[in-house]
């Protein structure tokens, strides 16, 4: 049986302390000892090590009711790295920049316009208007800050081998190898992810699926899709197509075609719930996730009342016990998921490779 080396033990302790500082904010050495269970010398050593490496700093003093000098408060050096989350929709690009603690420090949003005719494009910029728009929006949100990691969310199937979209997603100006072109404009590692997958990440980290190992996010917006998490991990499939349930033809011409239109708002709750349950049944029958979260505009608007009714219809269709909940992620779920993904990557590299 292999035991941890002193170097590995130090890395584990350091990452534990950093994760606690991320979760609780600034802490004193006694508080770190209480939360970690580590000895006084071990905590003193890791504090000195983290300060030397520029990862934490003294941010104040504790006003603890005790004799002697106040204890120093230690916090993460927030400016050590910055990340950007990008949500690319059919008509807008939205960017949020955060420091390594996850605190937003900049944002920008721009409309996507149709690509100009070939004769009206600036020389040498043919077909790159979307690339320019995304790069400029990231630059506006970042200001003078350098980006450590940028994660983009967009509709469509992302090829896990190339990292590019496998097919057209309907965003004006999107073209093959767009990610490669963006890498020439943005000086940071870029990752493209399916938008629904990122919404599932947000739901897992800060929404109705928090603390759950298995769940399916059913995305009900201007189309229908699913984000699948099993064993605590997002599942993309061998070709990136996991969760692409719209092509199955479920209620084609009735439910899928209604999403994102006024017609879906005209359906009574029972009719809407019954159609959603039919779509959810496919995922439940194959995956047995135990939880289905209703996201997107329709899921958020319907709330728990719609989720409860979907649960009733789903129970009548399937013998597999399944909870149905409405999304509780506040704001733009895709953008939040992109930021969470970018932060995880940055924290792994900056804080060390040992999982927290």
């Amino acid at each position: 049986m292999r035991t941890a080396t002193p170097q590995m033990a130090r890395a584990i302790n350091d990452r534990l302390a950093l994760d606690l500082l991320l979760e609780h904010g600034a802490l004193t050495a006694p508080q770190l000892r209480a939360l970690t269970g580590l000895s006084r010398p071990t905590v003193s050593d890791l504090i000195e090590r983290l300060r030397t490496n520029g990862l934490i700093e003294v941010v104040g003093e504790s006003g603890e009711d005790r004799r002697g000098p106040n204890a120093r408060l230690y916090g993460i050096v927030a400016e050590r790295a910055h990340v950007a989350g990008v949500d690319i929709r059919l008509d807008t690009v939205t960017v949020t920049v955060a420091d390594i603690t996850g605190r937003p420090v900049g944002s920008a949003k721009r409309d996507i316009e149709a690509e100009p005719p070939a004769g009206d494009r600036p020389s040498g910029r043919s077909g790159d208007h979307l690339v320019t728009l995304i790069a400029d929006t990231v630059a506006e949100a970042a200001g003078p800050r350098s980006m450590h990691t940028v994660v983009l969310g967009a509709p469509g199937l992302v090829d896990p081998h190339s990292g590019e979209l496998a097919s057209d997603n309907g965003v004006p100006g999107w073209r093959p190898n767009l990610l490669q072109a963006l890498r020439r404009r943005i000086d940071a590692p870029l990752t493209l992810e399916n938008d629904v997958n990122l919404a599932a990440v947000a739901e897992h980290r800060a929404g109705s699926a928090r603390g759950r190992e298995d769940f399916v996010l059913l995305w009900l917006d201007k189309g229908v899709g699913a984000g699948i998490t099993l064993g605590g991990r997002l599942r993309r499939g061998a070709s990136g197509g996991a969760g692409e349930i719209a092509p199955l033809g479920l209620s084609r011409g009735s439910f899928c075609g209604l999403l994102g239109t006024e017609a879906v708002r005209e359906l009574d709750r029972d009719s809407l719930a019954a159609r959603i349950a039919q779509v959810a049944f496919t995922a439940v029958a194959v995956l047995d996730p135990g939880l289905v979260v209703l996201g997107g505009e329709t899921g958020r608007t319907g709330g728990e009342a719609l989720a409860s009714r979907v649960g009733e219809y789903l129970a009548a269709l399937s013998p597999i016990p399944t909870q149905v909940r409405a999304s509780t992620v506040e704001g733009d779920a895709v953008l939040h998921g992109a930021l969470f993904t970018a932060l995880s990557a940055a924290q792994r590299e900056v804080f060390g490779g040992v999982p927290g």
Side-chain angles (χ1 to χ4, degrees):
M1 180 176 179
R2 297 182 62 184
T3 58
T5 64
Q7 182 179 10
M8 181 179 292
R10 287 193 295 271
I12 292 172
N13 291 339
D14 289 357
R15 185 60 195 267
L16 175 60
L18 289 166
D19 285 343
L20 287 169
L21 290 168
L22 284 172
E23 180 182 357
H24 296 282
L27 296 169
T28 64
Q31 289 170 332
L32 280 171
R33 291 200 301 270
L35 289 169
T36 62
L38 298 173
S39 67
R40 182 189 295 267
T42 299
V43 170
S44 295
D45 287 346
L46 75 82
I47 286 175
E48 183 60 30
R49 193 162 52 245
L50 294 175
R51 290 186 67 186
T52 300
N53 291 332
L55 297 177
I56 67 172
E57 61 186 349
V58 177
V59 296
E61 293 184 343
S62 170
E64 293 175 336
D65 185 17
R66 61 181 179 80
R67 293 182 178 180
N70 290 338
R72 290 178 174 179
L73 278 167
Y74 298 98
I76 289 174
V77 179
E79 299 296 311
R80 179 62 184 266
H82 293 91
V83 302
V86 184
D87 180 10
I88 304 170
R89 300 291 178 99
L90 297 178
D91 53 359
T92 58
V93 173
T94 307
V95 179
T96 294
V97 170
D99 63 33
I100 201 167
T101 70
R103 181 178 64 92
V105 295
S107 63
K109 183 174 183 177
R110 298 191 181 188
D111 293 333
I112 298 176
E113 299 179 355
E115 186 171 17
D120 296 336
R121 298 172 190 160
S123 176
R125 305 299 299 166
S126 177
D128 273 359
H129 82 287
L130 182 60
V131 171
T132 300
L133 178 65
I134 296 170
D136 288 351
T137 310
V138 171
E140 180 183 346
R145 306 173 186 90
S146 298
M147 292 297 98
H148 182 283
T149 305
V150 178
V151 173
L152 306 96
L157 189 153
V158 178
D159 186 319
H161 306 291
S162 68
E164 298 273 2
L165 281 187
S167 59
D168 180 47
N169 62 0
V171 175
W174 200 287
R175 61 174 178 79
N177 300 320
L178 180 136
L179 200 60
Q180 291 184 25
L182 271 175
R183 288 188 174 118
R184 293 191 289 269
R185 301 289 304 278
I186 298 175
D187 185 21
L190 300 181
T191 301
L192 176 65
E193 180 62 270
N194 171 265
D195 54 355
V196 179
N197 283 346
L198 290 177
V201 169
E203 209 65 56
H204 196 204
R205 292 284 298 272
S208 293
R210 189 171 185 176
R212 299 293 290 258
E213 290 288 299
D214 306 305
F215 75 98
V216 169
L217 170 69
L218 196 59
W219 189 252
L220 309 167
D221 207 278
K222 295 180 179 179
V224 60
I228 301 166
T229 295
L230 298 175
R233 295 179 57 192
L234 181 68
R235 305 294 175 169
R236 299 175 179 83
S239 62
E244 294 290 331
I245 59 177
L248 293 175
L250 298 170
S251 302
R252 182 167 301 209
S254 55
F255 178 65
C256 296
L258 290 174
L259 286 172
T261 70
E262 286 297 326
V264 76
R265 298 181 180 89
E266 296 174 2
L267 289 176
D268 63 84
R269 183 181 296 164
D270 281 348
S271 297
L272 180 60
R275 298 186 188 199
I276 295 173
Q278 290 174 2
V279 178
F281 171 66
T282 302
V284 169
V286 174
L287 301 172
D288 185 17
L291 171 65
V292 172
V293 178
L294 307 183
E297 181 184 358
T298 299
R300 289 285 304 274
T301 302
E304 285 304 320
L306 176 61
S308 176
R309 199 72 183 103
V310 171
E312 294 173 6
Y313 278 106
L314 184 58
L317 292 171
S318 171
I320 302 173
T322 307
Q323 289 182 295
V324 181
R325 299 176 182 171
S327 170
T328 54
V329 175
E330 296 184 5
D332 186 334
V334 176
L335 192 60
H336 285 310
L339 273 177
F340 283 134
T341 303
L343 281 168
S344 294
Q347 289 167 2
R348 274 197 308 272
E349 182 174 330
V350 175
F351 293 163
V354 180

